[in-house]
Amino acid sequence: MSTWFRRVRKNILTSTQEKKEAPDGIWHKCPECKTTHTKKELEDHFYVCPKCNYHNRINSAEYFDIIFDEGAYEVHFENIVPKDKLGFVDMKPYDKRLVEAQASTGLKDAMTVGVGKVNGQGLVIACMNFNFIGGSMGSVVGEKIARGIDYAIQHKLPFMIISKSGGARMMESAFSLMQMAKTSAKLTQLAKAGLPYISFMTDPTTGGVTASYAMLGDINIAEPKALIGFAGPRVIKETIKKDLPAGFQRSEFLLDHGFLDFIVERQNLKQKLSGVISWFMNNPVQEPVSAAAE
Ligand SMILES: [Zn+2]
């Protein structure tokens, strides 16, 4: 007997439903353990899953609220906005992509600079926003880091970058790559002023960001289980044709191999930072001695 109708794929409906993220509303489903919590519960818990400790990705506004005293801070350099200098078109024109990203996030670009106090001590933070074109590093990101450093030097304050980025912004091509050299040079000026640079890596910190400012901290710290690396694990695996060790490119692996000073859970972030700042302000960073000067 021939069958006219055959079910090619089973459970079509179920698999489609599973793929859907929980809709924006009062509930949040943990991407790791699939437990559901209310948004309020999650917010009270620093956006960390109360059941499995998964650190959900958050942006500058949330980090500033967590770190700065009474959630009070000033946002600087918001007049710096991105431009489509190359008339770049991929899936869509870059200038259109920028307008859409600005409308959906309410942000000007992937970097926000906030100045405030941490247990009474001043701090300048440049924090990346992953929701703005994957936290990609364009000219505005680099320029805001540069201005943030100038501000820190002028006011004798420590400087921190919170990295969360897919890497370079390909729509800005060489203008994006130039930010690696520019930010590295500015960090040297900060060190010459005896002021510390705290690099805080969160999930994910990859590409040109890892290859420049993320790994240049006087102290390099990270959130638990954050992906940190240059090329992604899949690319490396395909290149070297070998299986990678368990936990490769995660914070814990990097700590074991000497790339990080410590890992900090978000609920302890403010206390830990406060300790780091007071230590550095009592033990100023030494001016780097270049090989040529020796
Ligand atoms: Zn969870």
Side-chain angles (χ1 to χ4, degrees), residues 28-37 49-54:
H28 177 271
K29 189 175 174 185
C30 174
E32 193 72 22
C33 72
K34 316 289 181 214
T35 312
T36 307
H37 297 279
C49 175
K51 190 166 177 226
C52 75
N53 204 35
Y54 175 79

Side-chain angles (χ1 to χ4, degrees), residues 212-232:
S212 59
Y213 54 81
M215 283 289 174
L216 291 175
D218 294 303
I219 186 160
N220 292 322
I221 60 182
E223 279 190 345
K225 293 189 179 162
L227 176 72
I228 302 165
F230 182 63

Side-chain angles (χ1 to χ4, degrees), residues 128-150:
M128 303 195 76
N129 301 298
F130 193 74
N131 57 352
F132 195 99
I133 318 185
S136 50
M137 177 187 58
S139 312
V140 171
V141 168
E143 182 61 19
K144 283 195 178 179
I145 290 174
R147 304 266 185 118
I149 291 171
D150 286 341

